[in-house]
Amino acid sequence: MEMYSKCVDFPSDFPIQPIHPDKVIKEGDCPICRGDGIVKVFENGVQHYASCICNKHNEQLGKAVEIVERIRKRQKEYQKQRECELHTNDEKEIKYMPIHPDKEIKEGDCTICGGMGVVRAVINGVEYFDNCICTKKEIAMNQLKLSGIAESIEKYTFDKFQTPEEWQQKLKQKALHFLQEKNKWFFVGGQVGCGKTHICTAILAEFLKKGISVRYVIWTNEIVRLKANKMDDENYQRMINPLLTTQVLYIDDFFKTEKDKRPSEADIRTAFEIINYRYVNSNLITIFSTEKTVDDIIDIDEAIGSRIHEKTKGYRNVILKDEGRNWRLREEK
């Protein structure tokens, strides 16, 4: 019994707390919830209740602590990264200037930075430097080339998205409205071949034009890479960090599995780590395309699905399954 007490002596600011912290832990009780099956969860200063991990995944205490601590560590890293952001507290854009404002701009040079690739600003008497929008675009495009979607950026545009049917018109309209939103996520699920990847790629391209940090991943490929490096903490953190902190993350084929198979518990844990981090840091944008609905995702894991449900309010698009909506089949005829 004394050993259990040491294991569950959480600090007061720990994001998971038992409902009855003074309850005696009996033999066989879960050391996290003390046998209640429910815990208090504190996220961004807000308290709510959730099923204990012993009910949901039957994991050991060490795994729960590992996930929570990793999320907290990423949050701290992200806060440091945001110290030099382009917006003040009242969200008015800061005007960056060329490092050498008198430098002659040659033909082909960026008119913002004068070809230097870096710009400067003075905020409250402190000088800050940042990559120019031209550099950010180049970095983002190189990443997209590595992911294999760079060619699709030119192919899958809003102009090329066909809208002969009402459901296509609504999908395109929502996507265009989404570009004007803040702190929202975009979700499109359902029918195979209906243009889900097309419309999401068109959204991604618009963010890229603005020089916003974007990243594209195919879930089935990325989850294999992450799990393969799970035991190598340094490599794992290096690989997952861009997915956590990029301003815009597009996850294609989210939770795709073999027919009628459920994602593994390892897949779910990794997905939660990514989704929860981006949920807590509310200014980060996440885009999903998947054959599943949000309700399907909630059935797989309520914690993940409920976060997506909340953040995609107004921008949840489900294309009902109908072979007539599979435009790939139409193109083959």
Side-chain angles (χ1 to χ4, degrees), residues 217-233:
V217 295
I218 300 174
W219 179 254
T220 48
N221 295 344
E222 199 67 19
I223 191 63
V224 169
R225 293 176 62 243
L226 288 170
K227 289 193 296 185
N229 288 272
K230 189 72 173 180
M231 303 307 294
D232 185 338
D233 190 60

Side-chain angles (χ1 to χ4, degrees), residues 257-273:
T257 60
E258 294 180 26
K259 188 175 181 181
D260 298 328
K261 283 195 174 182
R262 172 186 168 86
S264 71
E265 296 304 324
D267 291 4
I268 293 170
R269 286 195 299 271
T270 304
F272 177 78
E273 183 173 356

Side-chain angles (χ1 to χ4, degrees), residues 67-216:
I67 293 173
V68 172
E69 285 301 315
R70 186 179 293 125
I71 292 170
R72 293 176 73 186
K73 180 179 178 182
R74 296 304 181 195
Q75 288 171 338
K76 290 179 181 178
E77 291 176 353
Y78 184 72
Q79 290 304 319
K80 291 180 181 179
Q81 178 182 323
R82 296 295 290 175
E83 288 178 358
C84 297
E85 275 299 325
L86 301 182
H87 298 83
T88 59
N89 292 334
D90 62 357
E91 297 187 344
K92 292 181 180 178
E93 188 171 345
I94 295 171
K95 299 297 182 182
Y96 276 89
M97 304 172 291
I99 294 177
H100 304 297
D102 299 326
K103 179 178 178 285
E104 182 182 353
I105 299 178
K106 299 178 182 178
E107 184 178 354
D109 282 349
C110 172
T111 57
I112 299 174
C113 65
M116 296 294 293
V118 180
V119 287
R120 65 183 285 272
V122 178
I123 307 170
N124 296 327
V126 180
E127 188 176 40
Y128 291 92
F129 294 90
D130 193 13
N131 285 331
C132 179
I133 190 171
C134 66
T135 302
K136 291 178 179 180
K137 285 181 180 179
E138 183 179 358
I139 292 171
M141 185 56 72
N142 286 337
Q143 189 279 321
L144 294 176
K145 286 179 181 178
L146 292 174
S147 68
I149 201 177
E151 293 181 2
S152 298
I153 289 288
E154 298 181 2
K155 179 181 177 183
Y156 294 147
T157 65
F158 281 114
D159 288 340
K160 294 178 182 178
F161 187 78
Q162 299 180 45
T163 57
E165 299 185 22
E166 185 179 0
W167 64 269
Q168 293 166 315
Q169 295 167 15
K170 288 182 178 179
L171 179 60
K172 181 176 180 179
Q173 186 179 43
K174 280 192 176 182
L176 290 169
H177 285 169
F178 174 73
L179 291 168
Q180 310 305 316
E181 283 281 5
K182 291 184 178 180
N183 303 331
K184 285 285 189 177
W185 294 358
F186 190 87
F187 180 96
V188 55
Q191 173 64 46
V192 174
C194 68
K196 299 188 300 293
T197 299
H198 185 143
I199 203 72
C200 291
T201 303
I203 294 173
L204 200 70
E206 293 303 311
F207 284 121
L208 180 63
K209 290 175 184 177
K210 298 175 183 178
I212 294 173
S213 170
V214 301
R215 184 166 286 264
Y216 165 81

